[in-house]
Each structure stands twice: as structure tokens, then as C-alpha cells.
């Protein structure tokens, strides 16, 4: 809770994607009592007159450290940055050092391997699994090709799937981790019609996002050395899969957060209890009064209950799985990984092996 002091927020994000940019701007507008700083390698594409006075952006290479920000922030938020991080665990430690005692750090990053309808197991991959996903097959290439381009995606997966319980600066009693699930396509059905419509709308947006991303990925595949005829075979299969939603998959996002210790070996200081100041958004919500849909409204709509393509009604949508201990977090990750089944050797690794073999057979002349 806010105690009347200026709250300092640091956003470490790929701002040139506009995702982190607009989130930093939104936070600054929503919380005028906070000072928001966004950092990235690229200049921010935003006009000065549209930036709130409590928000600023700085150019920084997170891979070089953030020592000039140490002990300065109440909140540090690192979101979807693994593609540009060379050592993810080191980045996490740098972000944690930027906190004041008691400040909270939040890490958010994607899962390049999608989850099946049950949310706890992996969606099987095409080529090596019957009825496997071609989207998962293409993501398999991107995931294995990322380290060749300098991304520590594997380190990110390990770090976030272990959480912050063992981090020296973090109070383990305040640490948690989670999995956020969003449907790929408008396939979910639950007993509540209103919630079904909301889920299907979200799923349609996520599907469109992946359709757009896949178009850009095709260009990357050619630079990774994947044969053009292979890419041409994948393209219609992925598009058909996304358009039909015949495979019920979830896009999963990794989450981990904790508060900084007050001093080495000590817990985080108690949170202040003073209420936060009223904002325009909270004022409008309060003035609007109760809405027709609330977390306590579990009534089933009177319209016929929709069912899934398998003739089953899904249980209520659990979009967030929380892990209270490292053991829970690691066990969930282990189950997901073991459920994937056989996977093909990535083309990017085949291309690299062939290049190394050719170099060995034809060593450079001295």
C-alpha cells in the first residue's frame, strides 16, 4: 500500500515493440503519485508532449548492468525481454539490486512451447506426433535458434521455472510464481455464457497475434538456413491450424515475483498500510456503482449451455496457476516437459552441424 511517498517504478522492457512503451505510459497515467522510468536499447517512438510528466525513458543495455539504478525503485518490472538477454539469471540479479528494501520485482516472459487443453501438459508437436501441432513445430525451431542469435531463452526458462525463492536479495516468504494461460483461438466453452464470450474474444485476438507473428517468422526461417521448400510446406498447415482452432491449445506466460530483503539474511520490511490516493480510474469505477458481472456472480446464463467440439463442457476457466513453493513450481515444469513426447531434430541445428562438418572437411588454408 502507498504511504504518501513518491513511488518509483522501473520498466525493463523491449520498448520498441510498443508493448512495454504503452504499459509504462499507462502506469504513469493511472498512478500520478508514481515516477515511472522505462529503459531499452532503442529510442522510444513517442512524442514528448504525449508523455506524462511523471514518466521518462532512458537508453540502456541491460546486458551491461544497471548499477546506476541500484537501490532506487519500489517496483521493477521486466517483461518479455529474454530474446535480447545474454544471461537471464544475471539480468534478474541486476533488476533485484535496483530495488529499495521492501520493493517488489516482477518478471514476465513467454513460454515458447504451448500447453494442451488440460493446461498442465504440452501440446504434442507435428512430424513426430499424430495430430501434433504445426505451430508448435515452428516454435520449436525459433526456440532452438534463439541461443544461436545470443538469446538466453533456455536460461530464462530454467530461472523462471525455479522462481525467486533462492535469490539472495529476495525474501523467500514473499516469493511466488505462476503460469498465465490464454486460449489460442475462439474454442473455449464454459457454463457461463458471458465468460465464454469473453474467453472466445480473447482467444480470437491471441490467434490473430500469432498469425501476424508467424508471417514475420517465415522471413527469419530463411535467414536461419531452413530450406524454402520446408517453410512452404509448413506455412499452409500452420495457417489452417490457427484458422480452424481444431487443436485446443493455450499460450502460457511465465511469472515470478518477490520483495527485496530489508538487509542480508533479514525478511522484507512490513508493508505500509495507508490507502493509495484516488485516481481517475478508481473514481469512475466507484461512481459507476455495482456492475452486472462480478467475481461473486457465478450464476449460469439462461441460454443453452455451449459445449466443446468434443461434446464436453469445460470447467470454469482457470487463467492463472499459482505456485507457492519452489518445489511446486519445479514439479509443474518437470511434468510439462516430460509430457511433450518425441520431438524432431531442429533444422537450425542440422544446418549448423552441416556447416561445421563442411568446415572440418575443408579447413582454411594457412
Amino acid at each position: 500500500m502507498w504511504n504518501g511517498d513518491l513511488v518509483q517504478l522501473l520498466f525493463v522492457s523491449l520498448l520498441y515493440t510498443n508493448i512495454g512503451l504503452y504499459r509504462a505510459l499507462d502506469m504513469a497515467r493511472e498512478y500520478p503519485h508514481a515516477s515511472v522510468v522505462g529503459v531499452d536499447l532503442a529510442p522510444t517512438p513517442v512524442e514528448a508532449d504525449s508523455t506524462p510528466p511523471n514518466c521518462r525513458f532512458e537508453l540502456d543495455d541491460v546486458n551491461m548492468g544497471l548499477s546506476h539504478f541500484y537501490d532506487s525503485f519500489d517496483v521493477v518490472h521486466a517483461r518479455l525481454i529474454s530474446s535480447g538477454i545474454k544471461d537471464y539469471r544475471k539480468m534478474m540479479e541486476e533488476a533485484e539490486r535496483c530495488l529499495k528494501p521492501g520493493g517488489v520485482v516482477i518478471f514476465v516472459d513467454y513460454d515458447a512451447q504451448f500447453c494442451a487443453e488440460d493446461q498442465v501438459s504440452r501440446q504434442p508437436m507435428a512430424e513426430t506426433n499424430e495430430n501434433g501441432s504445426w505451430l508448435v513445430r515452428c516454435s520449436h525451431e525459433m526456440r532452438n535458434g534463439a541461443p544461436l542469435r545470443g538469446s538466453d531463452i533456455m536460461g530464462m526458462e530454467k530461472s523462471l521455472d525455479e522462481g525467486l525463492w533462492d535469490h539472495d536479495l529476495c525474501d523467500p516468504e514473499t516469493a511466488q510464481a505462476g503460469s498465465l494461460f490464454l486460449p489460442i483461438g475462439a474454442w473455449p466453452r464454459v457454463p457461463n455464457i458471458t465468460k465464454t464470450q469473453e474467453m472466445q474474444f480473447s482467444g480470437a485476438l491471441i490467434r490473430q497475434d500469432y498469425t501476424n507473428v508467424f508471417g514475420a517468422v517465415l522471413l527469419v526461417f530463411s535467414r536461419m538456413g531452413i530450406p524454402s521448400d520446408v517453410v512452404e510446406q509448413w506455412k499452409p498447415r500452420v495457417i489452417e491450424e490457427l484458422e480452424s482452432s481444431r487443436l485446443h491449445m493455450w499460450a502460457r506466460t511465465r511469472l515470478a515475483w518477490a520483495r527485496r530483503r530489508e538487509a542480508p539474511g533479514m525478511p522484507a520490511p512490513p508493508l505500509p498500510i495507508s490507502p493509495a490516493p484516488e485516481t481517475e480510474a478508481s473514481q469512475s469505477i466507484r461512481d459507476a456503482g455495482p456492475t452486472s458481472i462480478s467475481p461473486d456472480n457465478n450464476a449460469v446464463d439462461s441460454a443453452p449451455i455451449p459445449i466443446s467440439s468434443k461434446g464436453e463442457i469445460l470447467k470454469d476457466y482457470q487463467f492463472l496457476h499459482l505456485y507457492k513453493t519452489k518445489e511446486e513450481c519445479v514439479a509443474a515444469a518437470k511434468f510439462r516437459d516430460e509430457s511433450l513426447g518425441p520431438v524432431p531434430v531442429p533444422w537450425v541445428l542440422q544446418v549448423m552441424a552441416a556447416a561445421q562438418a563442411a568446415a572440418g572437411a575443408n579447413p582454411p588454408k594457412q
Side-chain angles (χ1 to χ4, degrees):
M1 300 294 287
W2 184 64
N3 63 0
D5 297 329
L6 183 67
V7 178
Q8 304 279 349
L9 292 90
L10 175 65
F11 277 78
V12 183
S13 187
L14 293 179
L15 299 176
Y16 56 78
T17 65
N18 292 337
I19 297 175
L21 163 65
Y22 291 121
R23 188 57 182 149
L25 293 172
D26 288 344
M27 290 292 288
R29 296 185 182 110
E30 180 74 13
Y31 301 100
H33 62 287
S35 174
V36 181
V37 179
V39 300
D40 192 55
L41 275 172
T44 2
V46 62
E47 298 295 333
D49 57 2
S50 64
T51 303
N54 59 326
C55 182
R56 75 178 193 272
F57 299 100
E58 297 188 7
L59 294 179
D60 272 299
D61 184 352
V62 181
N63 292 298
M64 301 297 291
L66 294 168
S67 58
H68 51 295
F69 284 141
Y70 284 179
D71 309 310
S72 300
F73 292 90
D74 299 287
V75 179
V76 175
H77 180 74
R79 179 181 183 182
L80 303 176
I81 64 173
S82 60
S83 61
I85 299 300
K86 299 176 182 178
D87 185 331
Y88 198 87
R89 177 59 186 257
K90 179 182 177 182
M91 180 279 298
M92 296 175 82
E93 294 170 351
E94 284 293 296
E96 291 157 12
R97 290 190 179 102
C98 295
L99 292 172
K100 301 174 185 177
V104 61
V105 65
I106 306 168
F107 298 103
V108 179
D109 229 298
Y110 68 101
D111 185 345
Q113 303 178 90
F114 302 97
C115 287
E117 187 172 349
D118 63 7
Q119 294 186 339
V120 297
S121 57
R122 292 294 187 194
Q123 176 64 44
M125 192 178 302
E127 287 189 354
T128 51
N129 295 273
E130 185 178 1
N131 298 320
S133 166
W134 288 99
L135 180 63
V136 174
R137 176 67 185 89
C138 291
S139 181
H140 180 59
E141 292 293 335
M142 293 301 297
R143 177 175 177 267
N144 283 276
L148 304 180
R149 303 189 302 275
S151 169
D152 186 25
I153 184 174
M154 308 301 183
M156 176 273 290
E157 294 176 355
K158 182 178 187 297
S159 295
L160 294 188
D161 285 342
E162 291 179 350
L164 309 182
W165 289 275
D166 295 338
H167 288 217
D168 291 340
L169 291 180
C170 294
D171 178 358
E173 293 300 316
T174 67
Q176 286 197 57
S179 295
L180 175 67
F181 294 94
L182 292 171
I184 303 177
W187 58 264
R189 305 286 192 277
V190 295
N192 188 294
I193 300 297
T194 301
K195 188 171 289 187
T196 292
Q197 292 173 340
E198 293 172 349
M199 293 171 62
Q200 291 183 347
F201 180 71
S202 298
L205 293 178
I206 297 297
R207 176 177 59 195
Q208 187 59 50
D209 284 345
Y210 276 104
T211 300
N212 294 339
V213 168
F214 179 67
V217 165
L218 292 177
L219 301 177
V220 177
F221 281 166
S222 62
R223 295 197 294 268
M224 293 167 61
I226 301 176
S228 59
D229 60 325
V230 172
V231 175
E232 288 302 312
Q233 292 174 16
W234 289 349
K235 182 177 179 180
R237 295 170 179 174
V238 172
I239 293 175
E240 182 278 329
E241 182 180 305
L242 287 169
E243 290 179 348
S244 68
S245 294
R246 59 181 176 81
L247 297 178
H248 294 178
M249 297 189 295
W250 301 94
R252 172 178 172 263
T253 300
R254 292 176 165 91
L255 313 170
W257 62 94
R259 296 177 62 217
R260 181 171 176 172
R261 296 177 183 271
E262 187 166 24
M266 295 181 62
L271 289 169
I273 58 175
S274 300
E278 184 111 352
T279 65
E280 291 184 9
S282 60
Q283 175 75 31
S284 63
I285 292 172
R286 183 174 61 79
D287 292 344
T291 59
S292 58
I293 302 172
S294 71
D296 296 327
N297 181 12
N298 295 318
V300 176
D301 294 83
S302 58
I305 298 175
I307 58 178
S308 71
S309 60
K310 300 178 181 179
E312 303 169 345
I313 300 172
L314 299 177
K315 294 181 180 180
D316 197 15
Y317 169 40
Q318 299 297 323
F319 69 93
L320 182 62
H321 295 192
L322 292 178
Y323 313 115
K324 301 295 184 67
T325 67
K326 178 180 178 179
E327 289 73 23
E328 287 182 18
C329 198
V330 170
K334 184 173 184 291
F335 184 87
R336 281 191 300 270
D337 293 341
E338 292 178 348
S339 69
L340 180 58
V343 298
V345 177
W347 271 100
V348 290
L349 299 186
Q350 296 182 48
V351 170
M352 183 175 66
Q356 291 174 343
N362 300 285
K365 297 180 179 180
Q366 299 295 327

